[in-house]
Amino acid sequence: MEEKKLDLNSIIGFVLIFGILIYWFYTTQPTPEELEAQRAEQVQDSLAQAEKSQLQPAQQAVAAQPLSDSLAADAYARQVGEFAFTGVQEGVTRLENEVLLLEVSNKGGQVVRAQMKQFVNHDSLPVDLIREGNSDFNLQLTTRENRVLNTRDLYFEPEVLQEGDTRVLSMKAKAGADRYLEFRYSLKPGQYLMDFDLRSQGLSLGGDAVGLDWKLSAIRHDPSVMYENRYTRLTYRHNGNDIDKLAANGEDDDTETEVRWMSFRQHFFSSILAAAEPLPSVRMTSEDLVDGESKETAFTKTFGAETALPLTGGELSRRMFWYFGPTDLDVLKQYEDLSLADSIPFGWGIFGWINRYIFTPFYGFLSSFLPFGIAIVVMTIIVRILMSPVTYKSYLSQAKMRVLKPEITEINERLKDNAMKRQQETMKLYNKAGVSPMSGCVPAVLQLPIFYALFMFFPTSFALRQKSFLWAEDLSSYDTVAQLPFSIPFYGDHISLFPILASVAIFFYMMMTTGQQMQTQPGMPNMKFIMYLSPLLMLFFFNNYASGLSLYYFVSNLITIGIMLVIKNVILDEDKIHAQIQEQKKKPRKENRFQRKMREMMEEADKQKKGGRK
């Protein structure tokens, strides 16, 4: 018999047949929709069979639901055990007033959307603090049979009520006719604060407490995610009136006792959970989600709070509050009983006091009848006029040092080989003339509280949010006159004009002050370096800072330069100052304690030096 061999045509034929079989098998298999339909038919057949066996009423309600709800309800019923299923379907219930829109989900009974109706973000979209699952509020319950239940998995039956002018939403997860867990939301007209009552009836829960867990990922609202992230922090009130916060960067956590509220602040908006009675212990966490400037970043930080709500006789009863609204002093101070205004980052100590009780209300008054940018200019002028006596003292001290410069030069030449003696003679001259070289530093120190308070005021002032002036679209954020095709380290990918103007102004101010100090105190070689470094640092740092602050420093330095020119050319006469110093030197002058101590230390050091040479 002749042996058969596979030729090239046979091989090609087999490959084509195999390919056709693969294609046919692939095109004839059921689609996902068809598979789902088959599963639905199977489930409906099983439900129909169950109906013939006389289902219980609750199970009949499940069978009457749409397929997806029925499957979810079956899983729910198996998990909660004694909690009878009442036929609640997936869905949300709206609760709103003039300023706030809330959506509360039947599943979990929690707020799944919180929208500010009067504000928009940088893309002109409504500001949502909660949406699309970025928040998770959960209570962990233990039943009498030691089952652990999470409210995020339970279905709550909604009921909307009207109590006077208050809109009330009662969400109940029922375990029987008179046995349930209730979340009760009460929202008054025009309010961002909402009562949130938690209570159970007839459940006789196991354990001593119910665990509470709240997590929220802060939604981005500003054009610069890094700038917004800088002011997105978890702040809390504990142990009476103590206010603390978690770190602004990286990961941080803390556990505190007697906590009254936790504020998940998202720069200009806050989500706050407060308690009528302090929570015994709360663990709070913060995780930074921002890694560089990116337009794709949707969230800034993830916050978390965990606590235990004590039970009384196996039942839960706790009055709490939700606040979803602006981080605005005028709004938050309405809730003085909870001290929610303390969640605003005014600054610490005296700096925060100046910011909260002076600058914030003062600017609010000016901006009530002036354009917001003009209000900054007017406030700057008033602040500089009030600080002009300090400027005068500083310039007077510099003038006295200039008058004494020839005598100081003579001492330096005469005692150039004896540094200790030269210092003693210089101090003696200052004492006789009634001049202190430190007096020029005191005015600068006195201005530090003003500087820091304003440094915190402009980026956190809600009144400045999205308010424009000249080329700046938002005085609470940086202005942009040119967008760069690349990013410069520490500078950014844009050019802001107000920081440039402020840097030029501070350069001329430094020339007037630092240059004079270099003339009167020649042993200060670093002063020239500082004169050039300060404007450069301001240019880089303030390029990504609030344009309102750069505007303030620009106007402030211009006014200060003008005041100093007036003092120099109109008010002060250096010839008269020289004559006054000469008269002062003739009078016997008693050393103060500091001067006496310094003289004694120098004399002692001089003696030791002479003794060492022997």
Side-chain angles (χ1 to χ4, degrees):
M1 181 179 288
E2 184 178 276
E3 185 179 357
K4 294 184 179 180
K5 296 182 180 180
L6 291 175
D7 57 11
L8 179 61
N9 292 332
S10 300
I11 294 174
I12 294 175
F14 279 118
V15 170
L16 290 174
I17 292 171
F18 183 75
I20 292 171
L21 289 174
I22 293 293
Y23 176 77
W24 176 83
F25 181 78
Y26 177 78
T27 55
T28 56
Q29 66 177 345
T31 64
E33 291 78 8
E34 292 172 337
L35 288 174
E36 182 65 25
Q38 291 174 8
R39 284 195 293 268
E41 290 179 2
Q42 294 172 0
V43 172
Q44 288 178 350
D45 290 341
S46 63
L47 290 175
Q49 186 67 30
E51 286 180 354
K52 297 178 181 179
S53 302
Q54 296 181 346
L55 293 174
Q56 296 295 325
Q59 293 174 313
Q60 293 174 349
V62 173
Q65 295 179 66
L67 173 63
S68 59
D69 292 331
S70 298
L71 294 175
D74 286 340
Y76 159 82
R78 286 193 298 272
Q79 180 179 5
V80 303
E82 66 177 273
F83 273 70
F85 181 65
T86 58
V88 179
Q89 300 182 17
E90 291 272 11
V92 297
T93 302
R94 281 198 171 192
L95 190 65
E96 62 182 310
N97 56 20
E98 300 87 346
V99 298
L100 186 63
L101 168 63
L102 301 173
E103 291 183 354
V104 182
S105 175
N106 294 349
K107 185 176 182 181
Q110 62 176 306
V111 176
V112 293
R113 188 179 187 187
Q115 183 182 100
M116 311 295 99
K117 298 173 71 172
Q118 298 183 338
F119 304 103
V120 295
N121 64 11
H122 67 287
D123 287 329
S124 299
L125 299 174
V127 172
D128 287 317
L129 299 184
I130 296 177
R131 72 162 184 258
E132 298 175 358
N134 73 309
S135 175
D136 180 40
F137 179 85
N138 181 61
L139 295 186
Q140 192 172 78
L141 316 172
T142 303
T143 68
R144 289 174 296 181
E145 290 78 15
N146 289 324
R147 291 192 183 93
V148 176
L149 306 178
N150 293 296
T151 57
R152 66 163 69 93
D153 301 321
L154 303 180
Y155 282 81
F156 288 71
E157 181 178 340
E159 181 182 8
V160 179
L161 307 169
Q162 189 72 36
E163 297 180 357
D165 62 350
T166 302
R167 196 74 167 171
V168 177
L169 173 60
S170 172
M171 304 291 293
K172 291 182 180 179
K174 296 183 177 180
D178 297 317
R179 300 172 58 235
Y180 55 83
L181 172 68
E182 180 183 24
F183 292 173
R184 190 178 183 87
Y185 301 90
S186 303
L187 184 62
K188 295 181 179 179
Q191 296 293 307
Y192 293 100
L193 186 72
M194 174 175 59
D195 283 27
F196 180 51
D197 296 315
L198 307 171
R199 72 185 187 99
S200 66
Q201 178 174 306
L203 295 184
S204 299
L205 298 169
D208 298 324
V210 169
L212 184 154
D213 185 12
W214 177 36
K215 288 183 174 60
L216 182 142
S217 295
I219 300 172
R220 173 187 184 169
H221 296 130
D222 291 352
S224 171
V225 68
M226 291 187 67
Y227 180 73
E228 179 179 7
N229 192 44
R230 188 183 304 163
Y231 300 99
T232 299
R233 299 184 72 173
L234 194 160
T235 307
Y236 51 95
R237 176 188 172 193
H238 64 102
N239 293 327
N241 293 317
D242 292 344
I243 306 296
D244 281 310
K245 55 181 73 69
L246 296 186
N249 301 304
E251 296 184 14
D252 194 15
D253 66 272
D254 195 8
T255 300
E256 292 291 353
T257 58
E258 299 297 307
V259 176
R260 192 68 187 277
W261 48 255
M262 300 83 70
S263 172
F264 295 177
R265 187 178 76 244
Q266 302 169 227
H267 197 181
F268 285 119
F269 298 93
S270 298
S271 302
I272 303 176
L273 179 60
E277 296 295 329
L279 302 171
S281 178
V282 181
R283 179 178 181 269
M284 290 154 287
T285 60
S286 175
E287 179 185 0
D288 196 346
L289 305 178
V290 176
D291 183 19
E293 191 67 63
S294 172
K295 298 185 183 300
E296 307 302 321
T297 303
F299 303 97
T300 52
K301 286 185 175 71
T302 293
F303 300 122
E306 300 175 10
T307 186
L309 306 177
L311 299 175
T312 303
E315 299 294 343
L316 174 65
S317 180
R318 175 69 63 164
R319 186 186 182 202
M320 305 187 77
F321 308 91
W322 284 112
Y323 176 86
F324 300 109
T327 313
D328 182 9
L329 180 61
D330 290 337
V331 176
L332 291 173
K333 68 183 180 182
Q334 300 176 30
Y335 315 113
E336 282 297 324
D337 53 333
L338 296 173
S339 299
L340 296 186
D342 292 336
S343 65
I344 302 176
F346 292 113
W348 56 275
I350 187 174
F351 311 111
W353 188 92
I354 293 173
N355 194 355
R356 177 171 181 173
Y357 295 105
I358 297 179
F359 286 133
T360 299
F362 182 52
Y363 181 78
F365 167 73
L366 292 176
S367 61
S368 66
F369 59 88
L370 291 173
F372 290 91
I374 300 298
I376 293 177
V377 175
V378 173
M379 184 174 75
T380 306
I381 293 172
I382 294 174
V383 169
R384 295 315 306 170
I385 290 175
L386 293 176
M387 295 296 294
S388 58
V390 177
T391 305
Y392 172 78
K393 287 287 186 182
S394 177
Y395 197 88
L396 178 61
S397 174
Q398 295 173 17
K400 289 180 178 181
M401 296 294 291
R402 283 196 302 273
V403 169
L404 290 176
K405 183 186 176 184
E407 297 180 56
I408 293 174
T409 302
E410 187 274 329
I411 292 174
N412 291 333
E413 290 293 330
R414 178 164 49 87
L415 300 172
K416 60 182 178 180
D417 296 326
N418 190 336
M420 186 66 68
K421 188 67 175 177
R422 185 170 68 245
Q423 187 67 22
Q424 289 177 349
E425 290 295 322
T426 302
M427 294 297 294
K428 189 182 295 183
L429 174 63
Y430 286 152
N431 184 42
K432 285 183 178 180
V435 176
S436 173
M438 298 297 294
S439 60
C441 300
V442 174
V445 173
L446 292 177
Q447 294 183 70
L448 280 179
I450 305 298
F451 176 89
Y452 182 77
L454 288 168
F455 184 80
M456 294 299 296
F457 167 77
F458 285 100
T460 59
S461 174
F462 193 85
L464 290 172
R465 180 181 182 270
Q466 296 183 346
K467 301 302 189 299
S468 61
F469 179 64
L470 298 178
W471 57 84
E473 296 180 357
D474 186 349
L475 287 169
S476 69
S477 185
Y478 55 79
D479 63 290
T480 302
V481 293
Q483 193 70 38
L484 301 176
F486 50 83
S487 180
I488 301 174
F490 306 107
Y491 186 76
D493 60 355
H494 63 277
I495 297 175
S496 299
L497 183 54
F498 275 130
I500 295 175
L501 296 176
S503 298
V504 171
I506 198 173
F507 174 76
F508 284 105
Y509 171 75
M510 294 291 289
M511 285 186 62
M512 294 181 64
T513 56
T514 307
Q516 291 172 358
Q517 290 182 21
M518 287 190 293
Q519 293 174 6
T520 57
Q521 302 179 44
M524 303 178 69
N526 291 329
M527 294 303 291
K528 189 172 184 180
F529 173 74
I530 294 174
M531 182 174 69
Y532 291 107
L533 179 62
S534 296
L536 187 63
L537 288 176
M538 172 168 279
L539 179 64
F540 270 77
F541 183 78
F542 283 80
N543 192 64
N544 294 290
Y545 221 73
S547 57
L549 183 62
S550 300
L551 171 62
Y552 169 83
Y553 283 126
F554 169 58
V555 177
S556 177
N557 283 308
L558 287 182
I559 296 172
T560 303
I561 290 171
I563 291 175
M564 292 181 67
L565 290 174
V566 171
I567 292 173
K568 177 182 178 181
N569 298 315
V570 179
I571 299 176
L572 291 182
D573 187 336
E574 292 192 4
D575 292 334
K576 289 183 179 180
I577 293 175
H578 183 268
Q580 290 172 357
I581 288 177
Q582 297 306 317
E583 289 296 322
Q584 186 73 23
K585 289 165 61 177
K586 296 176 183 178
K587 299 178 182 178
R589 187 170 181 86
K590 185 178 179 180
E591 290 179 323
N592 59 39
R593 186 175 179 180
F594 174 75
Q595 291 170 331
R596 184 174 69 253
K597 192 70 175 175
M598 289 293 295
R599 178 179 57 78
E600 291 174 352
M601 289 173 61
M602 283 191 245
E603 289 176 352
E604 182 65 25
D606 192 36
K607 289 179 182 179
Q608 292 178 359
K609 185 176 181 181
K610 290 179 180 178
R613 286 199 296 265
K614 292 180 181 179

